[in-house]
Amino acid sequence: MVAINCDMGEAFSIYKCGDDEGLMPWVTLANVACGFHASDPRVMRRTVALAQDHGVKVGAHPSLPDREGFGRREMKMERDELTAAVIYQVGALSGFLRERGMELNHIKPHGSLYGMAARDEEVAGAVADAAAVFGVPLMGMAGTVHEKVWGASPGGFLSEYYADLDYRPDGSLIITREHAAFDPASSAQKALRAVTDGVATAVDGTEIPVRADCVCVHSDTPNAVDLAKAVHEALRPHLT
């Protein structure tokens, strides 16, 4: 069985990012931005309410403190400083969940924090220290430092496959500052294969092993709603 997760609540003040209202019916997990790369208190509160209305579970999407770079620029931080930053962000979101009588479901780091933790055990350990405070699973990529460090976390580990990002032959993701549109039908079939066969196709045609406890669609992908709907339909028999 599999979940569909989406990075959400990435608007700020009067600025909109992604169609959360259009996406929410087609996902089962919402990774809600916590203010360091996007979002603000009103956006977080509104996104949690929207998720509850659609029966979608909510996880935290903490970032490096880099709003201007949308959390996609690497930063050097001490381990305890990074742990504190993640606890701070997850704690803020937890308040809005408590208001609604909801429980925090998971933590998925955003952007460069996610990428750094996939390579660096010290960064991954800092995030794990924060997750231990809340006792929830961490979401990341199998076969990376994510799994090596977070797989031992008391809360558990969820491995994800990306429906709207390309993979290199070594299994790493190709991350761009702005997401490009992906063909919904093709992405949906690839997601289904990742779930049922544990295989993805790299940009050079190489087949690479993946494990998909959940499938991710980004809210800032230009055709995110159509893509999420196609993925949902393809995975319907397998959804948790």
Side-chain angles (χ1 to χ4, degrees):
M1 304 303 289
V2 68
I4 301 174
N5 78 88
C6 186
D7 304 340
M8 293 181 150
E10 293 183 323
F12 177 74
S13 183
I14 64 171
Y15 304 102
K16 185 174 181 179
C17 180
D19 183 1
D20 288 357
E21 290 81 4
L23 282 162
M24 202 67 82
W26 307 111
V27 304
T28 59
L29 303 177
N31 317 310
V32 178
C34 302
F36 273 28
H37 77 281
S39 197
D40 61 33
R42 293 182 70 188
V43 170
M44 278 192 277
R45 191 182 192 204
R46 186 166 62 240
T47 308
V48 167
L50 182 65
Q52 186 180 50
D53 289 344
H54 288 272
V56 172
K57 296 178 181 178
V58 172
H61 199 36
S63 168
L64 297 171
D66 177 32
R67 183 172 287 165
E68 290 78 6
F70 203 71
R72 291 178 177 160
R73 300 180 296 189
E74 293 195 1
M75 300 174 68
K76 291 185 178 180
M77 298 175 67
E78 298 293 332
R79 178 165 176 160
D80 65 334
E81 181 184 17
L82 187 51
T83 297
V86 174
I87 292 173
Y88 180 90
Q89 293 174 80
V90 179
L93 180 66
S94 296
F96 297 117
L97 290 168
R98 184 173 182 177
E99 179 188 31
R100 288 275 169 173
M102 299 173 70
E103 298 291 332
L104 180 71
N105 187 72
H106 63 277
I107 296 172
K108 175 187 171 180
H110 165 82
S112 285
L113 179 56
Y114 185 95
M116 292 164 65
R119 307 184 305 270
D120 188 322
E121 290 189 27
E122 191 73 4
V123 174
V127 176
D129 291 344
V133 173
F134 299 95
V136 295
L138 279 157
M139 188 181 291
M141 292 178 65
T144 70
V145 173
H146 288 165
E147 185 172 35
K148 181 178 180 180
V149 176
W150 298 346
S153 297
F157 173 70
L158 298 171
S159 177
E160 63 178 346
Y161 167 82
Y162 284 88
D164 54 3
L165 289 177
D166 287 319
Y167 285 77
R168 297 186 181 90
D170 66 359
S172 62
L173 295 170
I174 298 175
I175 306 291
T176 55
R177 184 72 180 269
E178 295 182 5
H179 292 303
F182 275 64
D183 177 68
S186 176
S187 291
Q189 288 306 306
K190 290 178 180 178
L192 179 61
R193 189 172 184 228
V195 170
T196 58
D197 300 336
V199 175
T201 303
V203 288
D204 68 348
T206 302
E207 292 194 342
I208 53 178
V210 294
R211 191 173 87 244
D213 299 323
C214 53
V215 173
C216 178
V217 176
H218 289 93
S219 63
D220 59 336
T221 294
N223 59 337
V225 174
D226 290 339
L227 197 152
K229 184 177 181 180
V231 169
H232 187 279
E233 292 302 319
L235 296 181
R236 186 184 294 274
H238 307 279
L239 291 176
T240 53

